[in-house]
Amino acid sequence: MPAASEAADPNFMLSLARGLGVLRVFEGRSSLSIAEAARFSGLNRPSASRCLHTLMRLGYVREHGGRYSLTPKLLPLAAGFLTSTPLASVSQAVANGLRDRLQETVSVGALDPSDPGRIIYIARAERNQVIAAPLMVGSTLPSHCTSMGRVLLASMTNGAREQWLSGAVLESRTERTITSPDALRGELCAVAEQRWSLVEEELEIGLRSLAVPIRDRDGTTLAALNVATFSDAHSREHLIDRYLPDLRAAAGQLERAI
Amino acid sequence: MPAASEAADPNFMLSLARGLGVLRVFEGRSSLSIAEAARFSGLNRPSASRCLHTLMRLGYVREHGGRYSLTPKLLPLAAGFLTSTPLASVSQAVANGLRDRLQETVSVGALDPSDPGRIIYIARAERNQVIAAPLMVGSTLPSHCTSMGRVLLASMTNGAREQWLSGAVLESRTERTITSPDALRGELCAVAEQRWSLVEEELEIGLRSLAVPIRDRDGTTLAALNVATFSDAHSREHLIDRYLPDLRAAAGQLERAI
DNA sequence: CTCTATCCGTCCGATTATCGGACAAAAGAA
DNA sequence: TTCTTTTGTCCGATAATCGGACGGATAGAG
């Protein structure tokens, strides 16, 4: 039982959507049985089995003792996007530069095109590259409690934002997370006006981060650039006084390059 | 006109294969018109149009003035693979460690499951992280003229290797590239026995690289670990005397961790 | 050891999603 | 302008796909 409203489009290939839906179920899970894939994707057993069978023959999935897992074949697709999209490749270079300048972790993210509730990292430069980070290019985070998410949500049209807000559940990540739609709406309004967002310990206790938008020539916001710090290292004022100008400069550099 | 031999499989979803085929056409191209997508994917116009339309509704593709391009939505899929596959995540950590130890660029790669002719990078640690590298996780390279490719080809069963060799065109990248199937077969035989591969300037003039296999408990080769150097920096002997022991140690560490 | 609950592979009829040739309009290029 | 290429759409025929159902296999519980 998919959406129920996606019918009546003679140009929509349902089988393709189903197959990609099965692929998506692997996000975060290392292996799946057929029954699990069926449950998580909302398909019946035979359909899920057919999808996995097809994906296996195409080389995207492999099977071991009844359990299916992804192969590296997805990686070239992602790398193709990263290298052929100017926004992505330039973002990585700019993030590296700003990281070196500030000695802080710098990231660039965009909204998931089909779910404004989450952001996707498209570039990331870590302050301390030794640590195995829990975040990387391709990682996702909720948008309502992150500085990049706030910047991106603030850039949406009123209609789209309200539509999303009406159906969204604002998960509480810490006791400081804004979970009320009204409060979030107010905050987004301020973000839209000041053109930056500072979020303190709403995603995780101890984290403070600041983000600014990346816009194209038409003024459309394409992505957000942010710097993430530990709360006890720098004050709110320090971020705004010291880092915001550099963030803005880097954002401008990126905007000129794409 | 696809393959012509893939018919008669009642469990194969052709539409899914077609859609993924269209996605794959974007590798390396930043944007495509419908007609181009149709040409490159081997479909007719209406079919390619349907695929793009569907991919757009699913959020994997976007359209601007009649040209279609990928969205970041593919990235979480790749990141999901990297984080949920022990081989991939541990590889990155081991590569970082070996990079720090040798002060050289270290990579881990695997064969494309549906095309032994190319290898896919699943981890990479650069010696000089300032340079914007042409290679990253997800990049692909021909296997016949790379050290990782040789190691991986040497691990194939005779049957599979011969089948691939019989239909492969061994592209010449430099004047030193082995392009004769017989010569390659001989080289692979040696690689299989000595358990390492040293390739000198067959991919690009000035590059010398050394690779060793990564095997699971059953002895099946899953990937290859390599160190890449400039020819004028270190001799062939230096690589074998100095780097091979460390490469082997790192490979063993990786093998124990997965 | 038996019973039970899943899970898996498969079959097959019904349906419907999909295919692709064709046409007309639109957009460019010459 | 004229010619070429692209695009959106229609539609009948076809074949691909769906999913309920069955039987065997497996595993864990009692």
Side-chain angles (χ1 to χ4, degrees), chain A residues 15 18 44 46-47 50:
Chain A
S15 316
R18 284 186 166 135
N44 49 34
S47 290
R50 272 190 291 270

Side-chain angles (χ1 to χ4, degrees), chain B residues 31-92:
Chain B
S31 80
L32 293 167
S33 68
I34 291 182
E36 287 165 346
R39 259 199 305 279
F40 295 139
S41 65
L43 299 177
N44 50 35
R45 251 70 48 84
S47 290
S49 171
R50 272 190 292 271
C51 287
L52 287 172
H53 178 84
T54 304
L55 292 170
M56 192 168 63
R57 281 206 30 189
L58 295 174
Y60 293 97
V61 154
R62 101 185 9 137
E63 180 261 354
H64 249 342
R67 304 207 52 92
Y68 294 80
S69 50
L70 297 180
T71 74
K73 201 179 176 188
L74 284 167
L75 300 181
L77 267 143
F81 166 79
L82 291 173
T83 56
S84 69
T85 305
L87 173 63
S89 50
V90 179
S91 285
Q92 187 60 57

Side-chain angles (χ1 to χ4, degrees), chain B residues 9 28 31 48 50 61 74-75 87 89 96 120 159 163 181-182 191 203-204 216 224 229 231-232 247 251 255:
Chain B
D9 183 344
S31 80
R50 272 190 292 271
V61 154
L74 284 167
L75 300 181
L87 173 63
S89 50
N96 289 344
I120 301 173
Q163 183 185 352
D182 285 336
V191 168
L203 176 70
E204 202 162 324
D216 65 10
T229 66
S231 308
D232 48 13
L247 260 185
E255 287 170 345

Side-chain angles (χ1 to χ4, degrees), chain B residues 155-212:
Chain B
S155 77
M156 294 172 72
T157 65
N158 284 348
R161 181 172 48 249
E162 285 307 318
Q163 183 185 352
W164 170 71
L165 261 179
S166 69
V169 277
L170 307 178
E171 192 199 356
S172 170
R173 301 282 298 237
T174 75
E175 66 265 26
R176 298 185 65 174
T177 308
I178 292 181
T179 57
S180 139
D182 285 336
L184 181 59
R185 189 170 9 236
E187 174 66 17
L188 293 180
C189 199
V191 168
E193 195 165 340
Q194 68 200 9
R195 292 205 188 289
W196 53 264
S197 168
L198 178 70
V199 171
E200 305 186 74
E201 306 192 318
E202 293 192 44
L203 176 70
E204 202 162 324
I205 295 297
L207 254 47
R208 190 173 352 239
S209 84
L210 175 65
V212 298

Side-chain angles (χ1 to χ4, degrees), chain B residues 95-109:
Chain B
N96 289 344
L98 189 58
R99 183 261 321 268
D100 293 342
R101 180 176 177 76
L102 301 182
Q103 289 299 317
E104 297 282 2
T105 295
V106 175
S107 313
V108 178

